[in-house]
Amino acid sequence: QKEVEQNSGPLSVPEGAIASLNCTYSDRGSQSFFWYRQYSGKSPELIMFIYSNGDKEDGRFTAQLNKASQYVSLLIRDSQPSDSATYLCAVLQAGTALIFGKGTTLSVSS
Amino acid sequence: NAGVTQTPKFRILKIGQSMTLQCTQDMNHNYMYWYRQDPGMGLKLIYYSVGAGITDKGEVPNGYNVSRSTTEDFPLRLELAAPSQTSVYFCATRGVQETQYFGPGTRLLVL
C-alpha cells in the first residue's frame, strides 16, 4: 500500500507568520499532488495542486515539490486565524484515486 | 448547480442493520469515489467508479457495496452494520486537472 506521511501537529504559529506544512510519499511514480484544507466538521476543499518540481504560488499559498526526495510542502504566508484547520496532503495513485495523509492541524493565534 | 450532494447528513444505526448512503452529482463527472474518515485520520478510499456500470474496490471495501447505474448517482450500501463502520463518509467526484470535489459528508454512528 502506497503511503503518504504528514506530521499530525498541532502546528502553532502567531498571526502574520509563515506556516510550513510537510508531506512525504512512498510511490516514486506519483505525478500529481494536492493540498486540501478541512475545517472541523466540514468536507475537504482544494487549496492547491502541483505536478512539476519546484514552487507554485497562489496568493498566500506556495506549494513546493521535490520528486527526487519524494517531498511536497505547503507554505502559508501572513497566516490568519481563519487558516486554522487541518491540512491534508494527497497523492494521485495509478492515475485513479487520491491517497491521503492523516493531516496536519494548524493553529494560528491572534 | 449543486455539485455533490449526500444524504442523509446524520444517521444512527443499530448493529446488524443495513442502509444506503446516497450520493448525487450534477457536474457530469465520470469518476466518483467513496471515502471514510475516522477521527484524527485522513480519508480512506472505500470504492470508486470510472463511469456508469464500472466500479472497483479501494483500500477498505469490506462491509460495503456500491453500484453505478447512472453518471449522476453512486450509492454506498452498508450491509450488517458494525461499530467499526462508525465514521464520516464522503463522496467525491473528479473533474479537470484531476481535482476532486467532495460532498458535505454523512456522519454515521453504529450502536
Side-chain angles (χ1 to χ4, degrees):
Chain A
Q1 174 62 37
K2 310 302 182 183
E3 294 184 343
V4 177
E5 300 286 343
Q6 297 180 254
N7 290 326
S8 62
L11 173 65
S12 297
V13 300
E15 184 175 358
I18 296 175
S20 178
L21 304 160
N22 305 313
C23 172
T24 59
Y25 58 95
S26 62
D27 182 5
R28 185 170 290 278
S30 298
Q31 297 294 322
S32 305
F33 308 87
F34 303 80
W35 283 100
Y36 283 81
R37 176 176 62 199
Q38 187 176 27
Y39 292 112
S40 181
K42 301 296 185 181
S43 57
E45 56 179 329
L46 181 70
I47 297 176
M48 293 193 69
F49 58 87
I50 185 167
Y51 303 147
S52 303
N53 276 330
D55 295 358
K56 179 182 180 182
E57 186 174 321
D58 184 1
R60 296 188 295 113
F61 299 95
T62 298
Q64 300 174 317
L65 175 61
N66 183 327
K67 291 184 179 179
S69 300
Q70 295 175 240
Y71 176 91
V72 58
S73 65
L74 179 70
L75 300 178
I76 305 175
R77 291 182 299 281
D78 188 24
S79 295
Q80 300 298 308
S82 59
D83 294 326
S84 297
T86 296
Y87 290 79
L88 300 168
C89 174
V91 177
L92 188 67
Q93 178 174 289
T96 302
L98 291 180
I99 304 299
F100 285 84
K102 294 181 180 180
T104 298
T105 299
L106 172 66
S107 177
V108 181
S109 56
S110 58
Chain B
N1 190 343
V4 181
T5 57
Q6 293 183 239
T7 58
K9 291 183 179 179
F10 177 67
R11 181 79 181 268
I12 299 175
L13 279 183
K14 294 182 179 179
I15 295 172
Q17 287 185 320
S18 299
M19 76 165 293
T20 298
L21 283 67
Q22 301 291 346
C23 175
T24 300
Q25 56 113 348
D26 62 1
M27 296 179 285
N28 201 34
H29 290 165
N30 287 322
Y31 283 76
M32 296 187 74
Y33 306 86
W34 274 106
Y35 292 91
R36 60 175 287 173
Q37 186 176 35
D38 299 328
M41 304 293 285
L43 289 87
K44 292 191 180 296
L45 182 65
I46 306 171
Y47 271 97
Y48 68 96
S49 171
V50 302
I54 306 170
T55 62
D56 206 349
K57 297 178 180 179
E59 182 183 1
V60 290
N62 292 341
Y64 307 95
N65 278 300
V66 294
S67 60
R68 183 97 181 269
S69 57
T70 67
T71 298
E72 294 77 20
D73 299 305
F74 190 38
L76 177 71
R77 178 78 177 167
L78 277 72
E79 304 283 0
L80 298 175
S84 61
Q85 293 178 306
T86 293
S87 191
V88 180
Y89 292 84
F90 290 104
C91 178
T93 71
R94 188 169 111 185
V96 296
Q97 294 182 312
E98 300 161 333
T99 301
Q100 289 194 5
Y101 301 90
F102 287 84
T106 293
R107 194 171 299 271
L108 176 66
L109 180 60
V110 182
L111 300 175

